[in-house]
PDB file of all heavy atoms in Angstrom:
ATOM      1  N   LEU A 527     -73.839 -72.244  34.194  1.00  0.00           N
ATOM      2  CA  LEU A 527     -74.263 -73.427  33.827  1.00  0.00           C
ATOM      3  C   LEU A 527     -75.536 -73.871  34.418  1.00  0.00           C
ATOM      4  O   LEU A 527     -75.924 -73.455  35.539  1.00  0.00           O
ATOM      5  CB  LEU A 527     -73.163 -74.442  33.958  1.00  0.00           C
ATOM      6  CG  LEU A 527     -71.780 -74.262  33.234  1.00  0.00           C
ATOM      7  CD1 LEU A 527     -70.824 -75.284  33.715  1.00  0.00           C
ATOM      8  CD2 LEU A 527     -71.962 -74.240  31.833  1.00  0.00           C
ATOM      9  N   ASP A 528     -76.388 -74.744  33.794  1.00  0.00           N
ATOM     10  CA  ASP A 528     -77.595 -75.216  34.372  1.00  0.00           C
ATOM     11  C   ASP A 528     -77.251 -75.832  35.636  1.00  0.00           C
ATOM     12  O   ASP A 528     -76.256 -76.775  35.866  1.00  0.00           O
ATOM     13  CB  ASP A 528     -78.183 -76.162  33.440  1.00  0.00           C
ATOM     14  CG  ASP A 528     -79.008 -75.567  32.422  1.00  0.00           C
ATOM     15  OD1 ASP A 528     -79.278 -74.341  32.406  1.00  0.00           O
ATOM     16  OD2 ASP A 528     -79.396 -76.341  31.273  1.00  0.00           O
ATOM     17  N   GLY A 529     -77.995 -75.434  36.724  1.00  0.00           N
ATOM     18  CA  GLY A 529     -77.844 -76.145  37.999  1.00  0.00           C
ATOM     19  C   GLY A 529     -76.923 -75.263  38.933  1.00  0.00           C
ATOM     20  O   GLY A 529     -76.836 -75.488  40.093  1.00  0.00           O
ATOM     21  N   ASP A 530     -76.074 -74.409  38.438  1.00  0.00           N
ATOM     22  CA  ASP A 530     -75.159 -73.623  39.155  1.00  0.00           C
ATOM     23  C   ASP A 530     -75.918 -72.283  39.772  1.00  0.00           C
ATOM     24  O   ASP A 530     -76.785 -71.827  39.095  1.00  0.00           O
ATOM     25  CB  ASP A 530     -74.000 -73.032  38.374  1.00  0.00           C
ATOM     26  CG  ASP A 530     -73.047 -74.207  38.062  1.00  0.00           C
ATOM     27  OD1 ASP A 530     -73.178 -75.366  38.600  1.00  0.00           O
ATOM     28  OD2 ASP A 530     -71.932 -73.835  37.328  1.00  0.00           O
ATOM     29  N   GLU A 531     -75.393 -72.058  41.048  1.00  0.00           N
ATOM     30  CA  GLU A 531     -75.947 -70.862  41.684  1.00  0.00           C
ATOM     31  C   GLU A 531     -74.902 -70.053  42.185  1.00  0.00           C
ATOM     32  O   GLU A 531     -73.779 -70.368  42.378  1.00  0.00           O
ATOM     33  CB  GLU A 531     -76.972 -71.283  42.586  1.00  0.00           C
ATOM     34  CG  GLU A 531     -78.302 -71.984  42.245  1.00  0.00           C
ATOM     35  CD  GLU A 531     -79.135 -72.249  43.526  1.00  0.00           C
ATOM     36  OE1 GLU A 531     -78.664 -72.203  44.675  1.00  0.00           O
ATOM     37  OE2 GLU A 531     -80.357 -72.540  43.257  1.00  0.00           O
ATOM     38  N   VAL A 532     -75.241 -68.708  42.413  1.00  0.00           N
ATOM     39  CA  VAL A 532     -74.064 -67.864  43.035  1.00  0.00           C
ATOM     40  C   VAL A 532     -74.872 -67.108  44.169  1.00  0.00           C
ATOM     41  O   VAL A 532     -75.964 -66.756  44.125  1.00  0.00           O
ATOM     42  CB  VAL A 532     -73.656 -66.832  42.015  1.00  0.00           C
ATOM     43  CG1 VAL A 532     -74.690 -66.009  41.444  1.00  0.00           C
ATOM     44  CG2 VAL A 532     -72.581 -66.009  42.661  1.00  0.00           C
ATOM     45  N   GLY A 533     -74.253 -67.022  45.237  1.00  0.00           N
ATOM     46  CA  GLY A 533     -74.751 -66.321  46.448  1.00  0.00           C
ATOM     47  C   GLY A 533     -74.934 -64.839  46.256  1.00  0.00           C
ATOM     48  O   GLY A 533     -74.024 -64.263  45.413  1.00  0.00           O
ATOM     49  N   LEU A 534     -75.898 -64.194  46.976  1.00  0.00           N
ATOM     50  CA  LEU A 534     -76.054 -62.751  46.815  1.00  0.00           C
ATOM     51  C   LEU A 534     -75.943 -62.142  48.291  1.00  0.00           C
ATOM     52  O   LEU A 534     -76.505 -62.723  49.183  1.00  0.00           O
ATOM     53  CB  LEU A 534     -77.347 -62.494  46.189  1.00  0.00           C
ATOM     54  CG  LEU A 534     -77.488 -62.965  44.753  1.00  0.00           C
ATOM     55  CD1 LEU A 534     -78.970 -62.917  44.255  1.00  0.00           C
ATOM     56  CD2 LEU A 534     -76.544 -62.358  43.823  1.00  0.00           C
ATOM     57  N   LEU A 535     -75.273 -61.064  48.379  1.00  0.00           N
ATOM     58  CA  LEU A 535     -75.021 -60.336  49.611  1.00  0.00           C
ATOM     59  C   LEU A 535     -75.609 -58.912  49.569  1.00  0.00           C
ATOM     60  O   LEU A 535     -75.440 -58.294  48.562  1.00  0.00           O
ATOM     61  CB  LEU A 535     -73.576 -60.411  50.066  1.00  0.00           C
ATOM     62  CG  LEU A 535     -72.825 -61.563  50.165  1.00  0.00           C
ATOM     63  CD1 LEU A 535     -71.353 -61.429  50.593  1.00  0.00           C
ATOM     64  CD2 LEU A 535     -73.476 -62.605  51.196  1.00  0.00           C
ATOM     65  N   ALA A 536     -75.998 -58.487  50.680  1.00  0.00           N
ATOM     66  CA  ALA A 536     -76.339 -56.957  50.814  1.00  0.00           C
ATOM     67  C   ALA A 536     -75.053 -56.258  50.570  1.00  0.00           C
ATOM     68  O   ALA A 536     -73.898 -56.746  50.861  1.00  0.00           O
ATOM     69  CB  ALA A 536     -76.979 -56.680  52.124  1.00  0.00           C
ATOM     70  N   ALA A 537     -75.148 -54.928  50.025  1.00  0.00           N
ATOM     71  CA  ALA A 537     -73.892 -54.205  49.641  1.00  0.00           C
ATOM     72  C   ALA A 537     -73.124 -54.086  50.995  1.00  0.00           C
ATOM     73  O   ALA A 537     -73.724 -54.008  52.102  1.00  0.00           O
ATOM     74  CB  ALA A 537     -74.278 -52.912  48.998  1.00  0.00           C
ATOM     75  N   GLY A 538     -71.753 -53.944  50.733  1.00  0.00           N
ATOM     76  CA  GLY A 538     -70.899 -53.646  51.982  1.00  0.00           C
ATOM     77  C   GLY A 538     -71.068 -52.544  52.786  1.00  0.00           C
ATOM     78  O   GLY A 538     -71.775 -51.533  52.293  1.00  0.00           O
ATOM     79  N   PRO A 539     -70.368 -52.394  53.916  1.00  0.00           N
ATOM     80  CA  PRO A 539     -70.341 -51.104  54.623  1.00  0.00           C
ATOM     81  C   PRO A 539     -70.044 -49.802  53.900  1.00  0.00           C
ATOM     82  O   PRO A 539     -69.216 -49.909  53.118  1.00  0.00           O
ATOM     83  CB  PRO A 539     -69.256 -51.446  55.777  1.00  0.00           C
ATOM     84  CG  PRO A 539     -69.173 -52.849  55.797  1.00  0.00           C
ATOM     85  CD  PRO A 539     -69.457 -53.293  54.362  1.00  0.00           C
ATOM     86  N   GLY A 540     -70.893 -48.809  54.181  1.00  0.00           N
ATOM     87  CA  GLY A 540     -70.686 -47.603  53.459  1.00  0.00           C
ATOM     88  C   GLY A 540     -71.205 -47.512  52.035  1.00  0.00           C
ATOM     89  O   GLY A 540     -71.192 -46.546  51.410  1.00  0.00           O
ATOM     90  N   ARG A 541     -71.821 -48.735  51.550  1.00  0.00           N
ATOM     91  CA  ARG A 541     -72.258 -48.810  50.202  1.00  0.00           C
ATOM     92  C   ARG A 541     -73.706 -48.979  50.001  1.00  0.00           C
ATOM     93  O   ARG A 541     -74.346 -48.877  49.137  1.00  0.00           O
ATOM     94  CB  ARG A 541     -71.616 -49.913  49.404  1.00  0.00           C
ATOM     95  CG  ARG A 541     -69.990 -49.982  49.480  1.00  0.00           C
ATOM     96  CD  ARG A 541     -69.463 -48.718  48.885  1.00  0.00           C
ATOM     97  NE  ARG A 541     -69.845 -48.650  47.398  1.00  0.00           N
ATOM     98  CZ  ARG A 541     -69.145 -49.290  46.395  1.00  0.00           C
ATOM     99  NH1 ARG A 541     -68.128 -50.101  46.791  1.00  0.00           N
ATOM    100  NH2 ARG A 541     -69.430 -49.156  45.214  1.00  0.00           N
ATOM    101  N   SER A 542     -74.351 -49.218  51.391  1.00  0.00           N
ATOM    102  CA  SER A 542     -75.863 -49.412  51.326  1.00  0.00           C
ATOM    103  C   SER A 542     -76.526 -48.121  51.781  1.00  0.00           C
ATOM    104  O   SER A 542     -75.943 -47.144  52.009  1.00  0.00           O
ATOM    105  CB  SER A 542     -76.076 -50.473  52.350  1.00  0.00           C
ATOM    106  OG  SER A 542     -77.449 -50.919  52.224  1.00  0.00           O
ATOM    107  N   ASN A 543     -77.849 -48.200  51.582  1.00  0.00           N
ATOM    108  CA  ASN A 543     -78.766 -47.124  52.073  1.00  0.00           C
ATOM    109  C   ASN A 543     -79.989 -47.770  52.313  1.00  0.00           C
ATOM    110  O   ASN A 543     -80.291 -48.897  52.444  1.00  0.00           O
ATOM    111  CB  ASN A 543     -78.811 -46.123  50.860  1.00  0.00           C
ATOM    112  CG  ASN A 543     -79.291 -46.658  49.483  1.00  0.00           C
ATOM    113  OD1 ASN A 543     -79.866 -47.712  49.539  1.00  0.00           O
ATOM    114  ND2 ASN A 543     -78.844 -46.010  48.418  1.00  0.00           N
TER     115      ASN A 543
END
Side-chain angles (χ1 to χ4, degrees):
L527 298 174
D528 280 346
D530 284 358
E531 294 182 343
V532 60
L534 302 169
L535 302 176
R541 308 296 299 277
S542 189
N543 54 26

